[in-house]
Amino acid sequence: MKLNHALLAAAAMGAIVAPNAHAATKKHVKHHAAAAPHDAALRGEVNELKAQIASLREEMRNQRDTTATTQTQVAQTQAQVAQTQTQVSAINQEITNVPTKDDVKSISSATIASAVEKEHHNDTFYFKGIKLTPGGFLELAGIYRQHNQTNDIATNIGGIPFPSAHNYYEGESRLTARQSRVSFLAEGMANQHTKLSMYGEFDFQGAAQTANSNESNSYNPRIRVLYGTVDYSKDGQGLHFLAGQNWSLVTMQSKGITPRAEVVPLVIDAQYVAGFAWTRTPQVRFTADFLDHKLWIAASAENPQTTFGGSIPATVTNVVAGGSGFNSANNLSLNTVPDFVGKVAYDDNIGGHQLHIEGFGLQRTFTARVNGSAVIAGNNVNKGAASFGGSINFQVVPQFLDVQFTGMAGKGIGRYGAGSLPDVTFDSNGTIHPIHENLYLAGVVLHPTKMLDIYGYAGEELQRATPETGAFGTGNLLANDSGCFIEGGTCGGNTRRVREATGGLWQKIYQGSFGRAQVGLQYSYTQRDLFISANSNGVPRTDQSIGLISFRYYPF
């Protein structure tokens, strides 16, 4: 109100001053000298009034700003009050939902037990930021063989006896826990795209010279695999490095070219199945993947070792007894160059059916020494050999039926087959001859239920005769096989082929937070053929029937 009154007063004053100023102007023409003092006074009053008007306007602006700020503060306060009211309502609802003592008693004890189990049965744990995953299983296996081979859980497929051997007429029954296994996996992320890992797997199938089955059954642990990896992955592709002992790169995989994805037959027998291509050996491996991890390329350099067939000329040194770090009862071949393996693999999903295809090549070099003397100089002999192979693994019916096939052909590959046939032989001059071989394995696995797996495999390893005649080479006609079917008779021929058909099942009897328990059954039938010789009546052939049972507990 004061502000309005002031404005009215100012307007009135302006109305009074204006006529006076006009009159003063008229008088100024005639009486300029006399009116000057009076005009100066009027101008002072006008300026004073203008200043008051400006001050009043500034005060009005300040009042408007203060009013706006107050209104904003009021709105904020109202919003805070509404939010507080909402929180109070939520708290009241929570208080209403708090169970009473009787409600707590009614909670299922099974639910509480389940939560405790989940907390105390994690698959992994951490140490200094490293993720650790334990693994392995306890196994008690029972074995029955129609013909005694004095083998433990791993059957010597290429050494099935003929009727000429006395043990052919005795069966073999054993119990063993030596395939029990312990494993661990350590993983850590070096950065966003790089993972470092270490994996080890051990069983008890080592057999030092002091090991026996008399009283303590003291068999020593052995390395199955033990390696480290560096994996870099970004934008749908990756680079991978592996160093240590692992499955050979020739071994079939289920996905990509990655460790711990090998497709190993589900059998109980630790020598697996005739036709299965594998070794577990120290190696260095480089792998790259492309196309969103669908296309894989890898190369490895693997520890070499050679197996020999046929007679060895007296002038040739092909093996030497083990020295430091090896058992002196074992012989080692004279290899100087690693085995080199290259592999390409491709993964795809065809209408929900997983498909894995791979192809590989193997290059080997064999070495021996033709002995010299004071008169005749000796020399080293070397021979290279190449082979090729491939595999396919396909889900015919997802989660129900899987099929697989592996084939490999070339020279000097006996070591890589489960039948352990020879890699090379010699002629009478000491020249190395890699033996040509084909091996095949087909398999089918059914999953009728989540607790039952049924499998069947059929495989073959077949070698060709070398061209040498006389006492050397393999498949020579002068081999004496006349007594192969007479107890105590002579049966000196070389193995030409091993083939096997086997089937079995794994039935889980428990699977839960305390691990998994399962029982397995397997039956296998194997044939072993020798090369035809001049005195053999047709193809010398023997066979072996084996039944196995396994009880396993996987705690992790």
Side-chain angles (χ1 to χ4, degrees), residues 448-530:
T449 70
K450 293 182 179 181
M451 302 292 281
L452 175 63
D453 296 319
I454 302 174
Y455 60 83
Y457 300 96
E460 177 181 83
E461 300 174 30
L462 175 66
Q463 293 195 333
R464 297 181 188 173
T466 57
E468 175 76 7
T469 60
F472 299 97
T474 59
N476 65 78
L477 295 176
L478 298 182
N480 187 355
D481 295 330
S482 60
C484 286
F485 299 96
I486 302 172
E487 185 174 359
T490 301
C491 189
N494 304 123
T495 300
R496 174 176 175 263
R497 175 173 64 187
V498 291
R499 54 185 176 182
E500 179 180 358
T502 186
L505 60 85
W506 287 102
Q507 174 65 58
K508 299 180 183 68
I509 54 180
Y510 170 80
Q511 183 166 337
S513 58
F514 290 97
R516 181 173 86 246
Q518 63 187 40
V519 59
L521 297 172
Q522 180 194 348
Y523 170 78
S524 71
Y525 175 77
T526 309
Q527 289 181 341
R528 176 192 173 198
D529 296 349
L530 305 183

Side-chain angles (χ1 to χ4, degrees), residues 340-353:
F340 293 100
V341 186
K343 177 183 277 191
V344 177
Y346 181 75
D347 295 295
D348 205 350
N349 187 304
I350 303 175
H353 304 264

Side-chain angles (χ1 to χ4, degrees), residues 188-509:
M189 295 300 296
N191 55 50
Q192 182 181 359
H193 303 290
T194 306
K195 181 170 73 172
L196 307 179
S197 303
M198 175 182 176
Y199 181 71
E201 192 174 276
F202 311 87
D203 63 20
F204 301 88
Q205 295 187 59
Q209 290 298 105
T210 56
N212 61 70
S213 298
N214 295 337
E215 289 182 331
S216 63
N217 284 259
S218 302
Y219 295 96
N220 47 294
R222 68 168 187 174
I223 297 174
R224 286 175 57 85
V225 295
L226 181 60
Y227 57 82
T229 59
V230 180
D231 299 285
Y232 175 84
S233 182
K234 184 179 180 181
D235 299 330
Q237 58 188 10
L239 297 173
H240 315 273
F241 172 75
L242 181 149
Q245 179 165 309
N246 192 29
W247 294 87
S248 170
L249 195 55
V250 308
T251 307
M252 179 180 170
Q253 316 241 218
S254 62
K255 184 176 182 180
I257 304 177
T258 57
R260 302 184 300 281
E262 296 82 11
V263 180
V264 180
L266 298 181
V267 297
I268 301 170
D269 197 311
Q271 192 59 24
Y272 309 110
V273 186
F276 177 51
W278 70 284
T279 63
R280 289 190 299 265
T281 187
Q283 61 189 268
V284 177
R285 180 190 300 181
F286 296 91
T287 306
D289 67 85
F290 311 92
L291 304 178
D292 197 21
H293 310 299
K294 288 186 176 181
L295 178 63
W296 298 71
I297 301 175
S300 67
E302 305 182 2
N303 190 60
Q305 189 67 199
T306 304
T307 56
F308 300 91
S311 299
I312 310 298
T315 57
V316 170
T317 298
N318 62 315
V319 295
V320 176
S324 177
F326 293 102
N327 194 309
S328 60
N330 298 326
N331 293 326
L332 286 83
S333 58
L334 303 179
N335 302 85
T336 58
V337 179
D339 292 354
F340 293 100
V341 186
K343 177 183 277 191
V344 177
Y346 181 75
D347 295 295
D348 205 350
N349 187 304
I350 303 175
H353 304 264
Q354 292 292 333
L355 173 67
H356 174 84
I357 302 175
E358 62 184 41
F360 60 86
L362 169 65
Q363 176 64 43
R364 306 190 67 193
T365 301
F366 308 101
T367 303
R369 174 72 179 176
V370 177
N371 307 329
S373 66
V375 179
I376 303 174
N379 66 287
N380 295 335
V381 290
N382 299 279
K383 188 70 173 181
S387 59
F388 303 90
S391 301
I392 181 170
N393 190 25
F394 184 58
Q395 284 186 337
V396 178
V397 181
Q399 309 301 322
F400 180 76
L401 175 61
D402 304 327
V403 297
Q404 66 182 76
F405 177 80
T406 298
M408 186 175 181
K411 293 185 176 182
I413 62 175
R415 172 199 186 202
Y416 284 85
S420 300
L421 301 183
D423 295 319
V424 302
T425 187
F426 292 90
D427 63 21
S428 56
N429 296 321
T431 302
I432 299 175
H433 290 275
I435 302 170
H436 191 283
E437 181 176 340
N438 298 333
L439 60 84
Y440 314 97
L441 178 66
V444 58
V445 180
L446 291 169
H447 313 283
T449 70
K450 293 182 179 181
M451 302 292 281
L452 175 63
D453 296 319
I454 302 174
Y455 60 83
Y457 300 96
E460 177 181 83
E461 300 174 30
L462 175 66
Q463 293 195 333
R464 297 181 188 173
T466 57
E468 175 76 7
T469 60
F472 299 97
T474 59
N476 65 78
L477 295 176
L478 298 182
N480 187 355
D481 295 330
S482 60
C484 286
F485 299 96
I486 302 172
E487 185 174 359
T490 301
C491 189
N494 304 123
T495 300
R496 174 176 175 263
R497 175 173 64 187
V498 291
R499 54 185 176 182
E500 179 180 358
T502 186
L505 60 85
W506 287 102
Q507 174 65 58
K508 299 180 183 68
I509 54 180

